[in-house]
Amino acid sequence: MLQTAGELNTPLGNLIAVAAMVDDVLSLVILAVLQRLSVINNDDVDGESNTNVTTSMASTSMTSTSTSLTSTEVNVWLYMEPVVMSIVLIVCGIVLTKVIPTLVKKIPWRTDEQREVGVVVFMLLVTSSLVIAASEANTTILLGAFLGGMAFANVPKATDYWSYFTPTNELLTTIFFATIGLVIPVQELFDPLSIGYGLLYCIPAVFGKLVTGAFMKEWGNGLVVGWAMVGRGELGFLMAQESLENELVDKETFIASVWALLVCTLISPLLMRWALRRKRRKGEEEEGGGDDCADEVEVAFQHQLSPRFKGDGVLHDSHEVSSQSHSQSPESGTPQQQQRQRSLDLSVSVL
């Protein structure tokens, strides 16, 4: 959207890009928490079945009570581990953004082709390592892949080198969205109740992202940032799919979430363009008004200064000119016009 609107390389575009990156990182952390909740949910189901068998075989109430306490014991680390490990992994990724560009620069590449192949291989190795580290750290592997790309963001021409994999990337992207589309029950998608819940979900979804623009000093920029952030990407669909597959939500909630994601994704570019046009139009009006005011002041000063040259080549005193102008044009007009005339006379006197 930013590239199409011509705002990608502007300060406002850079701000939106950074905000979107932070939003993606937070989404990946939430995805890691959802995956951990699904594991705990499955363990609880297995634990309940085992508890029922143990309870039925128990001969005393003490054994039953002990088993019940054991099955309901809450381990805080199970919930906090994906968050903590995600933060550690993010810190490692930030460090790599400083280390990798320096390392690539110091390697004595013989030719440009050698540098191109070397950087691509290096990208694959680093990204694979971060994906494995994310898996071992019990966080989402998508966070490792994201940090792998971020680590090479400051490497010159890294984006151009990776563009050779565009056909493969497009194929994998198509497969990714196809897998999400296959999960959506099309017949139930157009159920009036599901559509109604989806529209209700849009209210907090839109408001929660519009709030990000409230921190801007200018209201026009805030609207652009807010509506740009409203759009949901593939991570939203992925989290909805993960929640459905792990039985964290039912099918009705999943369909309502899909509707909310679709509506937000569709209205975001339209309203962002509207906010951007509104901001540009207001800026042009202010610039035009400022130019007209400057032209008016310049003409007024020239009109006031021109009598100082009476055609004899002599620059006469400004007080003399001011008195002559008052004698030639008596006080007339509205009080605002008189005040403006007195201000101009004072400016001429200062000059």
Side-chain angles (χ1 to χ4, degrees), residues 135-198:
S135 177
E136 294 297 325
N138 293 323
T139 183
T140 174
I141 59 176
L142 295 179
L143 180 60
F146 179 85
L147 295 175
M150 188 180 72
F152 286 84
N154 294 327
V155 176
K157 297 184 179 181
T159 306
D160 298 334
Y161 297 159
W162 190 254
S163 63
Y164 293 112
F165 295 92
T166 300
T168 305
N169 185 28
E170 292 178 351
L171 176 62
L172 295 176
T173 303
T174 304
I175 296 175
F176 170 76
F177 281 104
T179 55
I180 295 178
L182 291 173
V183 180
I184 299 175
V186 180
Q187 294 181 351
E188 300 177 6
L189 185 64
F190 297 96
D191 180 68
L193 186 61
S194 299
I195 296 175
Y197 279 127

Side-chain angles (χ1 to χ4, degrees), residues 41-107:
N41 186 40
N42 295 332
D43 290 343
D44 288 342
V45 173
D46 297 337
E48 287 177 1
S49 61
N50 295 331
T51 301
N52 292 332
V53 173
T54 305
T55 304
S56 62
M57 296 178 63
S59 58
T60 61
S61 60
M62 184 179 298
T63 306
S64 177
T65 305
S66 176
T67 305
S68 177
L69 290 175
T70 303
S71 62
T72 58
E73 183 181 1
V74 178
N75 191 343
V76 179
W77 175 246
L78 290 177
Y79 296 94
M80 294 301 299
E81 182 183 11
V83 178
V84 175
M85 299 309 296
S86 296
I87 294 174
V88 173
L89 206 62
I90 291 170
V91 173
C92 294
I94 294 174
V95 173
L96 288 176
T97 59
K98 304 295 183 181
V99 174
I100 288 181
T102 305
L103 184 60
V104 172
K105 186 177 181 180
K106 290 184 177 181
I107 295 177

Side-chain angles (χ1 to χ4, degrees), residues 2-32:
L2 294 174
Q3 187 173 4
T4 304
E7 292 286 335
L8 183 61
N9 296 321
T10 62
L12 183 61
N14 293 332
L15 175 63
I16 295 174
V18 172
M21 184 186 71
V22 174
D23 181 71
D24 288 341
V25 171
L26 294 177
S27 299
L28 290 171
V29 175
I30 294 174
L31 179 60

Side-chain angles (χ1 to χ4, degrees), residues 293-306:
C293 182
D295 294 339
E296 180 182 352
V297 173
E298 182 178 358
V299 171
F301 271 107
Q302 290 178 356
H303 176 72
Q304 291 293 326
L305 291 173
S306 57

Side-chain angles (χ1 to χ4, degrees), residues 101-118:
T102 305
L103 184 60
V104 172
K105 186 177 181 180
K106 290 184 177 181
I107 295 177
W109 308 103
R110 295 181 180 179
T111 61
D112 292 339
E113 294 182 356
Q114 187 184 45
R115 183 182 188 277
E116 177 181 344
V117 175

